[in-house]
Amino acid sequence: MSALTPRPRTVARAATGTGATLALATVALAATGTAGHAADYTVRQGDTLTSIAKRSGTTVARIAADNTLADPSRVRVGQVLRLPDAAPAASATPAPAPAGTSYAVRSGDTVSAIAARHGTTVAAVVAANGLDARAFIRAGQSLTIPGAAAARPGTGTAPAASTGTYTVRSGDTVSAIAARHGTTVAAVVAANGLDARASIRVGQDIALPGGTSAATPTQLVGDTFAGRTYAPQVVDAANRNKATLLAAGVPSRADMQAKVAATARAMGVDPALAQAVAHQESGFDHTAVSPANAIGTMQVIPSSGEWASQLVGRQLDLLGPDDNVVAGVAILRSLVRTSPDLPTAIASYYQGAGSVKRNGMYADTRRYVANVQTLMTRFR
């Protein structure tokens, strides 16, 4: 099978049925402080560091810094964390900037994430700042934010007019729904009165504001791969994501390879392994989307993206080049740590850890593992 061909993704199952979930240690209130003052929290099973930070009006980064945590996703049960003074809850989500305002790029930002936060679009940000087709930005760069939602005096930001509804399916996220329907996260949140976490549930009807028609997009992705035929709603989502990536523009393959290597080194993963997996999955082509709706360079499906977001302690946008790589590398890191050997970790990325444990490696999985291990020698 060609390394350039997007592979169907079942790695979401790795989030359950493995020891990886135990690494997501949780934090529960010990109630030893008073309002407005620092308090002690005792780590327990059940809550993520992200959720306790939001509940306490602070951030994961602040908790990590105050407790000198090297890896916020790996605190242990029973650990006592000192929480900083709570910040106003409204500060957790940046307010949309007025039209034409400036924004200073921070480390980890992507154009898609900035556009979503400010109620505008990737295309508008690219055009307003004269960015190239790859939409490259750098930390410290000042961006003009065009067409952002501006609050009307005394009324707040008016939700965009609804153009239809969408029923939430398993694995959906607000960012993925917004991208598929040509709107923004901010617009969907405002139109549906969602909280700062943009929480949605399966079966919920979501109003689609200011977006394009929910009709099936141009057929850019087929419905069958490696003998598997995928459900129409999955293929529809894949086609919308493919169209979004093609319209937004992405970094070159060489640039994506460099991102994969640099991210792996920063996250403590063997760069040769991460590059080999990315090459096998997509050939470093960030516009790659499979019939299983595996997205981008690392070919991560939305439900696996949610797991990866928990692993790193922040919401990841799989359509964004940087976040996509972070998601794939975070999943690899967890699988390497929890698997008995490297071939099993590689197999779990492709087949899913739970499936590998129950069924062993399928024939196509064994070929996948062999290909990745061979490719690793190329990137040493």
Side-chain angles (χ1 to χ4, degrees):
M1 182 160 301
S2 170
L4 303 181
T5 303
R7 303 299 298 263
R9 191 80 272 113
T10 55
V11 72
R13 298 190 186 107
T16 59
T18 75
T21 52
L22 299 180
L24 296 174
T26 59
V27 188
L29 176 63
T32 59
T34 58
H37 296 80
D40 288 338
Y41 284 69
T42 302
V43 177
R44 299 177 187 168
Q45 204 70 28
D47 289 327
T48 66
L49 197 60
T50 303
S51 66
I52 201 64
K54 289 178 179 176
R55 201 161 59 236
S56 302
T58 185
T59 65
V60 171
R62 180 74 185 277
I63 296 174
D66 285 7
N67 292 273
T68 62
L69 300 178
D71 184 348
S73 69
R74 293 186 65 80
V75 289
R76 65 184 182 278
V77 174
Q79 180 178 356
V80 177
L81 297 177
R82 191 70 171 171
L83 294 186
D85 292 344
S91 66
T93 302
T101 194
S102 295
Y103 174 81
V105 177
R106 306 183 184 112
S107 178
D109 274 342
T110 63
V111 172
S112 57
I114 293 170
R117 281 205 303 272
H118 293 89
T120 185
T121 65
V122 170
V125 174
V126 167
N129 293 275
L131 303 180
D132 63 18
R134 296 171 293 178
F136 273 161
I137 55 175
R138 64 182 185 280
Q141 181 177 354
S142 181
L143 294 179
T144 298
I145 308 298
R152 297 177 184 174
T155 63
T157 301
S162 175
T163 58
T165 59
Y166 172 82
T167 303
V168 177
R169 304 183 181 104
S170 178
D172 275 340
T173 63
V174 171
S175 59
I177 293 170
R180 287 202 301 269
H181 294 87
T183 184
T184 66
V185 171
V188 174
V189 168
N192 293 277
L194 303 180
D195 60 19
R197 295 171 297 174
S199 299
I200 55 177
R201 66 183 184 279
V202 174
Q204 181 178 354
D205 286 331
I206 296 291
L208 299 174
T212 58
S213 170
T216 302
T218 303
Q219 194 72 15
L220 300 169
V221 179
D223 63 357
T224 303
F225 181 77
R228 300 175 178 89
T229 299
Y230 293 90
Q233 62 268 28
V234 174
V235 177
D236 178 61
N239 275 282
R240 294 188 187 281
N241 286 329
K242 178 82 171 181
T244 299
L245 288 171
L246 291 172
V250 299
S252 68
R253 294 182 189 228
D255 288 329
M256 289 310 306
Q257 180 180 350
K259 286 181 185 291
V260 172
T263 302
R265 282 191 290 269
M267 295 178 67
V269 173
D270 182 355
L273 171 62
Q275 289 177 88
V277 168
H279 190 287
Q280 177 69 20
E281 291 287 345
S282 69
F284 303 109
D285 177 9
H286 193 62
T287 67
V289 181
S290 81
N293 198 23
I295 300 166
T297 302
M298 302 303 293
Q299 291 289 276
V300 182
I301 61 173
S303 55
S304 292
E306 289 300 307
W307 178 43
S309 295
Q310 291 182 316
L311 289 173
V312 301
R314 66 182 179 85
Q315 189 65 40
L316 297 173
D317 175 9
L318 297 181
L319 296 174
D322 295 305
D323 276 7
N324 186 279
V325 172
V326 168
V329 172
I331 291 169
L332 273 176
R333 180 175 64 181
S334 181
L335 293 173
V336 168
R337 287 173 174 173
T338 58
S339 298
D341 51 45
L342 183 59
T344 302
I346 296 170
S348 296
Y349 193 93
Y350 176 77
Q351 184 180 322
S355 178
V356 171
K357 185 175 181 180
R358 289 190 305 272
N359 307 307
M361 296 184 198
Y362 298 136
D364 58 330
T365 302
R366 288 194 295 272
R367 291 193 295 271
Y368 179 91
V369 172
N371 288 344
V372 169
Q373 290 188 296
T374 300
L375 286 167
M376 286 178 69
T377 65
R378 178 188 301 185
F379 298 112
R380 292 293 185 196

